[in-house]
Amino acid sequence: MSLVGYSKKKQQSQLTAWDHTLAGGLSGGIGRLILQPLDVAKIRMQLQVEARQARKYSGLFNLILQMGREEGVRSLWKGHVSAQLLSISYGISSFGAFEVFTKLSYQRRLQRANSGKGKEGDSKYKPLEHFVCGSLGGCVGTLTSLPFDVIRTRMVAQPEGNKMYLSVRDAAAKLHAEGGFRAFYKGLVPTLAAIGPQTGLQFGFYTLFTQILESLVTAHDDLLKHEVMTSFGSLFCGALAGLSSKLSVYPLDTIKKRLQISGWQGRQGLGTTPSYSGTLHCARDVVAREGLHGLYKGMGPALIKAAVASSLNFWLYEHICYLLALRFSLDTS
């Protein structure tokens, strides 16, 4: 049984909301530390307007080699502080909200059961339930973390030899001077449109795959006295969930990144930076200039990162929740 999402069958774990937010924050931060280079590569490729011979980066490995040669190996961790703030704040708020919403959903089923309108047990539509709760959790996480995402995108986009932003604090001050509070929420509409469904799909697919493969990915735990996900199970189901969800909404992620640097002059030497009036204008311009392929730029590193990040995040989250749950088992014994 997965420790992701509320279930009466694992009530004995007694995990609190604080436990879930701690697990979400830690899983996000550790995953970010490992995967930041892939995220930097994805953003650089997404922001590259030029095509074929005119483009600076011809592919993932070419980009990594060029960045290492021109800007140093440390450039692959550009914007890491803001990225960590993004991942930790998103992990805390999205996982925390998801657990709250799944518990509320269970309590609603329990009320219906007590009134004779339904059954008390876990819903047979659990993947769909987790999709809805995950989407709401993703929206909460986005509203909490988007300012760090905008700062991270700007810091990753700038060339090493011509920096406009010297630190996260400097970037925040200049962004505020540029457009006030609204500047920190550039690209909010496509971000919510992408992250809400993507996070929902991630949770929904993870639950679906754990149900389909239950006999292969779970094992009985003598301490918690119920089935738990194995390390292989959470890694494998997490990778499948990450790939499936990322493929579903990738064009919106590209549009979000383009909007976050719309009209910005901090990318000299890295290519053209068009200005956009909104989400639809950006989408039409990308397709007109670059074809439909333009909406899928950087998809290679993005899919690798999505699979590995989702795999790591779910494995870390399951494992941290398991370790936190052990204290209740040890107390009772």
Side-chain angles (χ1 to χ4, degrees):
M1 177 192 300
S2 171
L3 293 174
V4 176
Y6 183 83
S7 171
K8 184 185 177 184
K9 294 177 183 176
K10 57 181 173 61
Q11 266 186 317
Q12 63 266 37
S13 68
Q14 301 175 48
L15 291 176
T16 66
W18 291 110
D19 291 326
H20 289 299
T21 54
L22 174 63
L26 285 174
S27 63
I30 296 169
R32 170 65 61 180
L33 178 65
I34 297 169
L35 298 170
Q36 176 71 356
L38 282 173
D39 202 42
V40 170
K42 182 204 74 166
I43 291 173
R44 281 286 181 95
M45 292 179 76
Q46 282 180 317
L47 302 182
Q48 184 172 250
V49 176
E50 295 75 18
R52 296 190 175 93
Q53 272 66 37
R55 61 187 176 177
K56 182 175 177 66
Y57 307 118
S58 60
L60 173 60
F61 294 109
N62 174 257
L63 182 149
I64 291 173
L65 289 173
Q66 278 205 59
M67 282 192 69
R69 184 171 60 249
E70 296 173 2
E71 304 174 48
V73 175
R74 288 182 63 184
S75 66
L76 294 170
W77 275 267
K78 267 176 176 276
H80 186 60
V81 174
S82 56
Q84 276 291 3
L85 292 172
L86 162 66
S87 293
I88 292 171
S89 61
Y90 184 82
I92 287 172
S93 50
S94 61
F95 272 102
F98 171 76
E99 296 289 347
V100 169
F101 289 133
T102 55
K103 185 172 183 178
L104 289 173
S105 177
Y106 171 78
Q107 290 172 341
R108 186 172 182 276
R109 290 202 309 275
L110 183 60
Q111 288 176 348
R112 287 175 60 83
N114 290 337
S115 62
K117 296 179 180 178
K119 294 182 179 180
E120 179 184 339
D122 284 347
S123 171
K124 63 180 179 180
Y125 301 112
K126 196 172 182 179
L128 180 60
E129 178 184 289
H130 281 197
F131 164 73
V132 174
C133 294
S135 296
L136 292 172
C139 290
V140 173
T142 296
L143 290 171
T144 305
S145 63
L146 188 60
F148 300 123
D149 191 20
V150 175
I151 292 170
R152 183 272 307 250
T153 299
R154 293 288 185 96
M155 295 188 77
V156 168
Q158 65 183 358
E160 192 66 25
N162 187 25
K163 286 186 175 182
M164 181 176 287
Y165 305 127
L166 302 178
S167 66
V168 172
R169 181 179 293 182
D170 181 49
K174 288 177 178 174
L175 262 172
H176 189 268
E178 176 186 316
F181 181 73
R182 291 181 64 183
F184 293 97
Y185 283 89
K186 283 193 171 187
L188 177 62
V189 173
T191 303
L192 287 174
I195 297 299
Q198 182 182 331
T199 306
L201 287 169
Q202 209 166 21
F203 280 110
F205 277 127
Y206 183 75
T207 302
L208 178 64
F209 291 132
T210 57
Q211 287 183 343
I212 294 172
L213 304 171
E214 184 175 7
S215 61
L216 299 175
V217 298
T218 61
H220 184 78
D221 186 82
D222 293 331
L223 294 175
L224 294 186
K225 297 179 174 58
H226 61 66
E227 301 293 308
V228 298
M229 292 289 290
T230 63
S231 293
F232 165 77
S234 52
L235 288 168
F236 185 66
C237 293
L240 290 176
L243 279 173
S244 304
S245 58
K246 193 66 173 180
L247 276 170
S248 305
V249 297
Y250 188 76
L252 288 169
D253 189 50
T254 299
I255 292 170
K256 175 190 76 171
K257 288 289 179 280
R258 295 288 181 95
L259 285 171
Q260 286 177 342
I261 64 158
S262 174
W264 183 48
Q265 301 303 311
R267 295 185 69 243
Q268 285 88 350
L270 294 178
T272 305
T273 308
S275 295
Y276 306 111
S277 60
T279 302
L280 291 177
H281 176 223
C282 178
R284 285 195 296 263
D285 185 75
V286 170
V287 173
R289 286 175 187 254
E290 308 160 55
L292 285 173
H293 171 73
L295 295 172
Y296 291 89
K297 282 188 172 179
M299 191 167 71
L303 288 180
I304 295 171
K305 186 213 164 193
V308 179
S310 179
S311 181
L312 273 176
N313 283 342
F314 278 114
W315 174 71
L316 287 166
Y317 185 78
E318 293 266 15
H319 197 64
I320 293 167
C321 283
Y322 174 80
L323 293 175
L324 290 171
L326 283 179
R327 73 185 191 272
F328 300 112
S329 177
L330 293 173
D331 287 343
T332 56
S333 61

